[in-house]
Amino acid sequence: MQELAGDQVASAPASGRDGRGDGLAGAGAAVPGRAARKASHLGDFTVRPRMLLITGWAVGVGAASALAAWVLQKLIGLITNAVFYQRWSTDLVAPGLHRHDPALVLLAPVAGGLVVGVMARFGSEKIRGHGMPEAIEAILTAGSRVAPRVAALKPVSAAVSIGTGGPFGAEGPIIITGGAVGSILAQGLRLSADERKTLLVAGAAGGMAATFNSPLASVLLAIELLLFEWRPRSFVPVVAAVGTSAVVRGFLLGTGALFPVHVTDLHLAPGVLALCVLSGVTGGALAVAATWLVYLAEDGFARLPVHWMWWPAIGGLVIGCGGLLQPRALGVGYDVIGALLTGQATIGLIVGILVVKTIIWSLSLGSGTSGGVLAPVFMIGGALGALEGAAFPTVAPGFWAMMGLAAVVGGVMRSPLTGVVFTLELTRAWPAALPLLISSTAAYALSTLVLKRSVLTEKIARRGLHLTREYSTDPLEAFFVRDVMDSDVFMLRDTDTLAEGLRRTRADHEGPADRVQHLYPVVDEHGRLVGVVTRNDLLERMAEGGDAATVADVMRRDPITVHPDDTLSHVAYLFAEHGLTRAPVAARDDHRAVLGMVTLAHLLHGRRHDLTEDRHRERVLSAPIPRTVARQG
């Protein structure tokens, strides 16, 4: 394959491709000089004004998701107060603040699990689980469509599960509920699947922001876990939804930090930062153990000889037994998280939460009940850090609890930046950004090295799907057609008879198999592109008795063409859209001036380059040899 020479495409020899046969030489039309090679038609992002329309819809979705988060919290408070304190109140409280009847602690979670199982069995199975995998699955397999009944049943089932003592958070259910709000709106409009995905994620992120008053972390979570892209068309609407949700939350639930920690300027010694790495490693190890325990439990429940409808009730029995040992491990436990992060928790509470909460959360989550993962992870991570703080040097009240929280979030969710920003927004302890980044990243590194998948993506994999969370620039975006096209092309005249066309293409087909062109541009007497034809087209027409026919009678008119300054990614999408494997290359300012041919095989060039950069190792710089040594040699 001939490459570009200087600023022009190398013209084909008059005798045709590789000097074989008498096919017409490729037109020697010049590609414009280097100044035109800037590809001014391309930009950093692909964005259209329609993004503003979707952003407008996202504002409404954000407001609705904030209202849904408020309703869910009030519903959890109502059920918790009714079950554990026998009073009518919607204030968000946790079980265990007072001594409860042991029978109540043991049986309330069982009753809640039974209700959730019945709702899932006769309502919608989609309400099972902790919300995020269900949202991801809807995006990946259902065109971002969520059934309206899921939007109604999920918050109710979560409120029942948490309100009866389930050790879960409200954020997972609100992700699928807020996502359902966005999806339902999108389904009522004439939108594409990608636009539905944007509104679904806008609702999910808006609900998350309203639950924790953490707008930045919610946007990061949307990018790292739900959008599967970094593009203005989705980022701008999601931010609009999150911003609106945060404003509405301010009127409903206030604007203060959920767990305020007062940290002044930190001047940390290198030894403290080294201990942050250790805290991250232990947090990552706990994240791995908890993830493993969740799916060990799920496998165990799958082997039970009973219908899955009964599994949440069995998981509720595990919760009840744990509640007898440590009642404050039940429920959302925001008060416990606050005590851990402010250094007010006792060693007994810390150890009890660390052991009991980890076990009952992991085992009950594996039962398929309804509840979120973030609040329990906050509590478990905070307990681990608080326990480490008993041995580590004192930095500030709650400092090590924050490190543990960020580490376990980074390890369980495999989203280190989200772990850092969540911790900062929950506590407003902004001076702790650097140690939090170190701790969260250390946990993330360990988790990714030890486990193939996270607690979120493992559930997706078990449903027969694969989700990669590695995002990089498409190598096909880095190369242009002019970098790989074959500029030495066989062409036919529209006035050629079929016999002449077959004779001209015979030499091409008798050459090396990997050099056969297959598709031939057809030009008129002025060398202008008028169509394309294949050798099989000519043979089929000849077999039908087309001795008097010409190439013009057989060719396909108005062929799809590409331009030298098109990216290979654009060509790949064009080929996929039209079912092509090759296309003529024409000048951008003159679509009938043929410059070459690009094929499906050429698209592999970018992939090969990416593979080489990933695997080929070489020493670029080497130590210079001193002159005295060189002379002695």
Side-chain angles (χ1 to χ4, degrees):
M1 181 177 64
Q2 295 184 16
E3 300 291 335
L4 288 174
D7 292 338
Q8 296 184 345
V9 173
S11 300
S15 58
R17 198 172 188 219
D18 294 331
R20 298 179 280 111
D22 55 357
L24 288 178
V31 176
R34 291 188 185 276
R37 289 193 176 192
K38 293 179 181 178
S40 57
H41 66 291
L42 299 175
D44 292 341
F45 298 101
T46 302
V47 62
R48 299 179 179 87
R50 187 172 174 81
M51 175 189 72
L52 301 178
L53 174 64
I54 304 301
T55 301
W57 288 115
V59 169
V61 170
S65 62
L67 289 172
W70 177 76
V71 169
L72 177 57
Q73 289 197 20
K74 292 299 181 182
L75 194 55
I76 292 172
L78 177 65
I79 296 175
T80 304
N81 279 286
V83 171
F84 287 97
Y85 299 100
Q86 295 79 51
R87 64 193 181 196
W88 181 268
S89 174
T90 58
D91 292 339
L92 194 60
V93 296
L97 294 178
H98 308 297
R99 182 174 179 82
H100 303 298
D101 185 338
L104 176 65
V105 173
L106 183 65
L107 297 178
V110 176
L114 184 59
V115 171
V116 171
V118 171
M119 292 179 67
R121 176 70 176 83
F122 299 103
S124 172
E125 190 177 348
K126 296 295 184 182
I127 68 173
R128 301 176 68 215
H130 46 91
M132 290 190 201
E134 289 72 28
I136 293 172
E137 186 178 20
I139 291 169
L140 292 179
T141 66
S144 299
R145 299 182 183 93
V146 178
R149 59 182 174 178
V150 173
L153 293 177
K154 184 64 177 181
V156 175
S157 65
V160 170
S161 176
I162 299 169
T164 54
F168 310 111
E171 72 293 326
I174 200 58
I175 280 180
I176 192 64
T177 302
V181 170
S183 175
I184 292 167
L185 172 63
Q187 291 175 61
L189 303 172
R190 187 178 179 84
L191 303 180
S192 68
D194 279 341
E195 291 169 337
R196 285 196 301 271
K197 176 186 71 174
T198 297
L199 290 182
L200 186 156
V201 176
M208 179 76 72
T211 301
F212 289 117
N213 195 22
S214 54
L216 184 54
S218 300
V219 172
L220 280 176
L221 190 72
I223 293 170
E224 290 192 304
L225 285 175
L226 297 173
L227 283 176
F228 312 116
E229 65 179 27
W230 175 259
R231 303 176 71 173
R233 69 174 190 180
S234 54
F235 176 76
V236 173
V238 166
V239 171
V242 166
T244 303
S245 178
V247 171
V248 174
R249 185 207 194 273
F251 290 104
L252 298 175
L253 297 169
T255 58
L258 214 57
F259 313 113
V261 175
H262 302 289
V263 175
T264 56
D265 293 339
L266 294 174
H267 301 284
L268 302 177
V272 172
L273 294 179
L275 288 175
C276 289
V277 176
L278 179 59
S279 178
V281 170
T282 57
L286 179 59
V288 168
T291 301
W292 174 79
L293 196 57
V294 167
Y295 290 103
L296 180 67
E298 188 171 285
D299 292 337
F301 278 103
R303 287 192 289 268
L304 293 177
V306 296
H307 192 277
W308 57 256
M309 181 184 76
W310 304 102
W311 296 356
I314 299 172
L317 185 60
V318 174
I319 296 170
C321 292
L324 292 176
L325 297 174
Q326 178 50 264
R328 300 192 72 183
L330 302 179
V332 176
Y334 286 172
D335 59 325
V336 176
I337 299 173
L340 292 168
L341 290 174
T342 54
Q344 298 175 359
T346 64
I347 288 294
L349 177 61
I350 292 170
V351 174
I353 290 297
L354 182 59
V355 175
V356 175
K357 187 79 171 185
T358 301
I359 293 174
I360 66 174
W361 169 71
S362 302
L363 296 182
S364 58
L365 192 64
S367 72
T369 192
S370 182
V373 301
L374 273 178
V377 167
F378 291 164
M379 188 184 295
I380 293 167
L384 176 64
L387 185 61
E388 291 171 338
F392 291 173
T394 301
V395 177
F399 177 85
W400 293 111
M402 287 192 295
M403 297 305 111
L405 189 155
V408 177
V409 172
V412 168
M413 308 291 288
R414 312 283 270 275
S415 304
L417 296 180
T418 297
V420 172
V421 178
F422 252 130
T423 308
L424 291 173
E425 289 191 306
L426 290 173
T427 63
R428 300 294 197 268
W430 301 105
L434 175 58
L436 286 171
L437 181 61
I438 293 172
S439 183
S440 181
T441 302
Y444 170 73
L446 178 65
S447 177
T448 54
L449 286 171
V450 174
L451 287 179
K452 288 184 178 180
R453 300 182 182 93
S454 73
V455 72
L456 307 179
T457 55
E458 177 67 23
K459 185 176 286 290
I460 298 295
R462 290 180 175 220
R463 294 171 182 171
L465 303 173
H466 171 64
L467 171 65
T468 180
R469 293 183 57 195
E470 293 185 343
Y471 303 110
S472 60
T473 301
D474 185 351
L476 297 187
E477 289 283 3
F479 292 91
F480 292 93
V481 169
R482 63 186 177 223
D483 299 324
V484 300
M485 72 181 190
D486 195 342
S487 55
D488 187 4
V489 182
F490 268 106
M491 290 190 286
L492 300 176
R493 298 185 182 90
D494 58 349
T495 55
D496 287 342
T497 63
L498 298 188
E500 287 176 326
L502 288 171
R503 180 175 60 82
R504 290 178 182 276
T505 59
R506 184 177 299 116
D508 181 44
H509 279 258
E510 290 175 351
D514 62 340
R515 296 284 293 160
V516 177
Q517 186 174 312
H518 294 293
L519 184 72
Y520 302 95
V522 180
V523 297
D524 60 17
E525 58 182 297
H526 303 293
R528 314 282 288 167
L529 180 69
V530 292
V532 292
V533 72
T534 67
R535 184 173 172 81
N536 285 340
D537 293 335
L538 302 177
L539 289 171
E540 289 175 5
R541 185 61 180 271
M542 282 288 287
E544 295 172 0
D547 294 339
T550 64
V551 171
D553 298 325
V554 182
M555 70 181 184
R556 306 165 198 177
R557 302 179 183 275
D558 300 320
I560 301 295
T561 61
V562 299
H563 308 300
D565 54 0
D566 283 334
T567 64
L568 297 189
S569 176
H570 171 78
V571 176
Y573 280 117
L574 194 68
F575 280 10
E577 180 182 0
H578 296 281
L580 305 176
T581 58
R582 58 200 69 237
V585 181
R588 179 165 292 277
D589 56 354
D590 185 354
H591 292 195
R592 296 181 64 191
V594 181
L595 303 176
M597 184 74 67
V598 66
T599 70
L600 203 57
H602 290 144
L603 301 186
L604 298 179
H605 176 81
R607 297 294 180 190
R608 285 196 300 270
H609 178 81
D610 191 52
L611 190 64
T612 298
E613 291 199 337
D614 179 48
R615 298 185 179 180
H616 178 67
R617 293 177 175 83
E618 61 180 340
R619 188 186 300 278
V620 179
L621 297 177
S622 57
I625 302 175
R627 286 189 174 183
T628 55
V629 176
R631 290 196 192 99
Q632 290 173 5

